[in-house]
Amino acid sequence: MRVTMDINYSKFHKKCEATISKVARSTYTATEEACEDIMEESLRQVPRDTGALASSAFYDIRKAEDYGFEATLGYGGSVINPKTGIPVMDYAVVVHEDLEAFHPIGKAKFLEDPIRDYAAEKFPRTVIKHVKPTLESENNE
């Protein structure tokens, strides 16, 4: 018995490229949602005196070298503490790392803890939430 199949590889290749592109956009959206959720929780935990540290919160998403996206989340930049005149970037790490310091509002590890919690519990669900509909729509086309 002999079976012959005529496969249009060009059409198949285009379909694969389109799917990869849609998945990539979905992973960007998932990364953006993760950053927003992490920063929201981090801002609940960040120590507050003048509000300068909280106002310096940022995240940046960029295409990874290999595949997907990577994000940088942090505090600092050019924000100046109005009480001391010191740039936030000069003390943000110390405030984050000093477990012995007393903070009437907030705590140390105000960025690390939300990142760890999100990565352990929520990030896989966030990716699936954004990628799954993309893959399902590709299957229905």
Side-chain angles (χ1 to χ4, degrees):
M1 180 170 164
R2 182 174 185 184
V3 176
T4 304
M5 295 175 57
D6 183 22
I7 299 173
N8 183 338
Y9 286 106
S10 176
K11 185 176 179 181
F12 175 74
H13 182 72
K14 286 179 184 176
K15 179 103 168 143
C16 288
E17 290 294 324
T19 300
I20 290 168
S21 178
K22 288 179 182 179
V23 168
R25 283 193 301 275
S26 297
T27 58
Y28 178 89
T29 305
T31 303
E32 184 175 48
E33 181 177 318
C35 289
E36 289 171 1
D37 289 350
I38 290 166
M39 288 310 294
E40 184 179 314
E41 181 57 32
S42 180
L43 286 166
R44 282 195 274 277
Q45 298 181 23
V46 69
R48 292 179 189 262
D49 178 22
T50 64
L53 185 56
S55 72
S56 74
F58 71 91
Y59 68 85
D60 177 56
I61 303 169
R62 67 202 153 283
K63 193 153 185 58
E65 279 187 37
D66 50 3
Y67 178 76
F69 296 91
E70 58 189 20
T72 301
L73 295 90
Y75 290 82
S78 61
V79 176
I80 304 293
N81 184 312
K83 192 187 247 183
T84 64
I86 298 172
V88 170
M89 66 183 180
D90 288 355
Y91 64 86
V93 172
V94 174
V95 173
H96 185 268
E97 296 298 318
D98 188 354
L99 298 174
E100 302 299 317
F102 170 73
H103 302 287
I105 300 171
K107 67 179 198 64
K109 302 295 186 181
F110 52 88
L111 182 57
E112 182 178 328
D113 289 347
I115 289 172
R116 286 184 190 276
D117 292 345
Y118 199 89
E121 298 178 18
K122 296 179 184 171
F123 191 67
R125 282 183 261 153
T126 301
V127 171
I128 290 167
K129 176 176 116 181
H130 289 280
V131 172
K132 186 177 179 186
T134 299
L135 295 175
E136 287 171 347
S137 71
E138 286 298 314
N139 287 333
N140 293 328
E141 289 180 7

